[in-house]
Structure formats: structure tokens, C-alpha cells
Amino acid sequence: MSKPEILAVAKLPPYLIEPLREIFVVHEQIHQTDPAAFAAAAGRIRAIVGSGESKVPRSLMAQLPALEMISIMGVGYDGVDVTAALERNIRVTHTPGVLNDDVADLAIGLMLSVARRIPQADQYVRSGRWPEGPMPLARKVSGERLGIVGLGRIGQAIATRAEAFGMSVAYTARSRKAELPYAYYPSAQALAAEVDFLVLITPGGAGTRKLINADVLKALGPQGYLINVARGSVVDEAALVEALQQGVIAGAALDVFENEPVVPSALWTLDNVVLAPHIGSATRQTRGAMADLAASNLRAHFAGEPLLTPVPECQ
Ligand code: 8YV
């Protein structure tokens, strides 16, 4: 029996693609690179596999009449038009849970980096400036006030870490989580006014687009720091650059950006910013677990077995 044919819509790691090739015909990004091959194969493509940043719009699905399933190697799937998928009963899966620790670890690491100026300290030594005298004093983190925007699995992992640093934890989310011991605020702006560090870990997409705007940044204030490990779309990036340049907030640590991998050059030159290239889940162990889970969802679908991790809209 011929292998089912699937379309990879992103450049995916070999530890995902190679195992898939054992049971599927994998067309790698031909929708972008080889229109003729895509036209020839489109009628046979039964599944899509992509990353958390992959775009799977209605228009692409419409070109794939045999599409049954979309498997995302990522917890975020905001680039997938889930409404369009549901209209055709196309199943969508993602890889939640396996990356909670890595993303939470990075959020804490970025918070420490920007507050204690660790990248600047490294450069201070490497550039031979230490003999000039000590670096300027930085900002304490332990015992300070942390606000979390989005208290899902990763948000709760961040909260647990922060408690170990003696921080108070407050949050805003779509709804109050009465079972958790943290102070709830009905909006990001209300939360920002009450905390020293504001960490973003809410899903991307239309519902959170530019949620962090100039008003929220003003509420966070000149002693406040913004840390984003969610999606670049959650922040009004132009307003953030302005706020950092004008001292509206003290600083920011950013792992995600509106138009990755393009990062506004204005951010490159700011001394009160720590920048990272979307590495939230980027460890060998975690990316391996994500790849295994994405592949397992595909195998389950084609074996007629229950999907392991369907997105909430498909449960
Ligand atoms: C990776 C992510 O960027 O899981 C997500 O939503 O943003 C990251 O883990 C990517 O998805 C890995 O494929």
C-alpha cells in the first residue's frame, strides 16, 4: 500500500522529518518552492506538519481537497486558521506540556538578565572595562512583584519559579482561576500598574493582538520591566520601542517579535533591552519531545486511533 502523502509547511528539524519519511511521503515546502510539483501532489496531500510559527491559512487548505489533519510542532498554533479547519472537520494538533519547563526557565532567565544586566556585565569584562571600576548598580529581582499575562500551563510554571525567588505573583487571564493562590486582575493594564515585572505568556492570534499597548506600558511605569516569551503579536512593538527610548518603562527582555526573524533596528542599540531569537523551547531535549509528539499525532490519525494532543477547539 502506498504511503500517505503529507506537506511540511516549514523547514522542520531532521529528527522530525526523517522518522516521518519512514511512513509518509513528505513534500517539503513545495507549496512555496515548486508550484508545478505542488499542483501535481495537492490532490493527494492528506496532512500538514508545521512549527508553532507556521502559517496555515484557509487559502492553503482550499488547495488540498484530501486534507484531513494539521500537526503543529509547537504549543502555539495561532498561524493556523482553525475555523477553516473545523468547517471541513480537519483535525488540528499541537505539542503542549512538553515545553513548559524550557519556556518558563527562559522567562526567568530573561527577567534576571535584563534586571541584573548580565549581558552588559559579560561585555564589561570582555571589553577590558573592569579596571575602570565597578559597573553601575542594577535592579533586584527576588522578593519583587511579578505579573503574568496568561496563566496557562507555562504561566503556572513561571509562577512556581517566581515563588522560589520570594516574588509575589499576580495575573490576568481570560478568566479568574479560583483554585490558584495568586491575585487576579481583570486587565493587563490593571495588572501592570501593580507589578515590577510583567511577563507575557498568553497565546498569540487575533484575541491578543497588541494587547500590550502604550497605556499598559505607561501603567507598568519607569521602574517596570516587560518580558515577552509569548508571541510578538501580543505587543504593540512600535509603542514598546517608544516606551524604551523615552524611559516610560525601565527595560524589556524579548524572545519574540512581530515580524520574525526581523527585529526593529531601534531595539538593537538600546542598552535597556535583552534580545533572544525565539529560543523558548530550543533545547535538544524539549525540541526532541515536541518532534516525537507531533509525529505521534500524525501516526495516531492515520492508524485511526485517538489523537494525543488535539488543540482545545478540536477536543
Ligand atoms: C517554537 C513556539 O518556536 O511552541 C511554540 O509555540 O513558539 C516554539 O516552541 C516552535 O514552535 C518549534 O517548532
Side-chain angles (χ1 to χ4, degrees):
M1 187 170 78
S2 62
K3 293 179 182 178
E5 300 191 36
I6 69 175
L7 173 66
V9 294
K11 181 158 180 56
L12 296 171
Y15 48 84
L16 172 57
I17 293 293
E18 294 315 315
L20 291 180
R21 287 198 185 286
E22 293 170 13
I23 53 177
F24 298 108
V25 172
V26 183
H27 300 286
E28 291 192 69
Q29 297 177 276
I30 58 170
H31 65 307
Q32 294 170 329
T33 61
D34 189 339
F38 179 58
R44 301 190 304 271
I45 290 173
R46 296 174 58 189
I48 283 174
V49 60
S51 75
E53 292 78 68
S54 290
K55 300 294 185 277
V56 184
R58 179 186 294 270
S59 58
L60 176 57
M61 295 183 215
Q63 299 176 72
L64 304 173
L67 186 62
E68 303 166 19
M69 184 208 181
I70 300 167
S71 176
I72 294 298
M73 179 186 157
V75 65
Y77 53 97
D78 43 295
V80 177
D81 187 335
V82 176
T83 301
L86 291 174
E87 288 169 5
R88 288 178 47 190
N89 195 31
I90 295 168
R91 311 301 305 285
V92 183
T93 63
H94 62 151
T95 58
V98 294
L99 43 58
N100 298 352
D101 284 340
D102 270 9
V103 179
D105 289 350
L106 186 75
I108 298 297
L110 287 173
M111 178 166 63
L112 288 165
S113 293
V114 69
R116 297 299 304 274
R117 299 175 57 75
I118 296 172
Q120 290 84 351
D122 177 273
Q123 283 305 310
Y124 195 76
V125 176
R126 291 177 193 269
S127 62
R129 295 189 55 199
W130 195 1
E132 297 171 15
M135 277 183 58
L137 298 180
R139 172 65 184 277
K140 183 174 181 179
V141 173
S142 285
E144 298 291 85
R145 302 170 300 168
L146 174 69
I148 301 175
V149 179
L151 200 64
R153 288 167 286 231
I154 301 175
Q156 291 177 46
I158 293 168
T160 301
R161 284 157 175 77
E163 288 179 303
F165 281 78
M167 300 181 84
S168 63
V169 176
Y171 72 101
T172 188
R174 280 174 296 194
S175 60
R176 182 193 301 268
K177 299 176 186 279
E179 71 279 12
L180 296 176
Y182 312 124
Y184 170 76
Y185 287 84
S187 71
Q189 186 167 336
L191 176 65
E194 303 298 330
V195 300
D196 305 302
F197 297 91
L198 189 67
V199 173
L200 311 183
I201 187 54
T202 191
T208 58
R209 192 170 307 283
K210 295 190 192 301
L211 176 69
I212 307 304
N213 57 26
D215 291 337
V216 175
L217 296 169
K218 186 175 180 182
L220 183 55
Q223 302 304 317
Y225 291 83
L226 180 75
I227 292 93
N228 192 2
V229 291
R231 284 287 187 269
S233 61
V234 176
V235 177
D236 179 335
E237 203 161 75
L240 175 60
V241 170
E242 172 83 11
L244 289 163
Q245 291 173 330
Q246 301 302 322
V248 172
I249 63 172
L254 309 170
D255 186 44
V256 288
F257 305 87
E258 272 187 343
N259 184 29
E260 295 172 14
V262 176
V263 177
S265 56
L267 289 174
W268 299 7
T269 55
L270 290 174
D271 185 54
N272 56 347
V273 173
V274 173
L275 304 173
H278 201 150
I279 57 172
S281 64
T283 66
R284 289 185 295 277
Q285 296 85 344
T286 293
R287 287 292 173 84
M290 293 166 69
D292 292 347
L293 185 49
S296 296
N297 275 305
L298 282 163
R299 282 192 290 267
H301 172 77
F302 285 96
E305 296 167 359
L307 299 175
L308 287 80
T309 48
V311 299
E313 298 90 334
C314 290
Q315 289 177 1

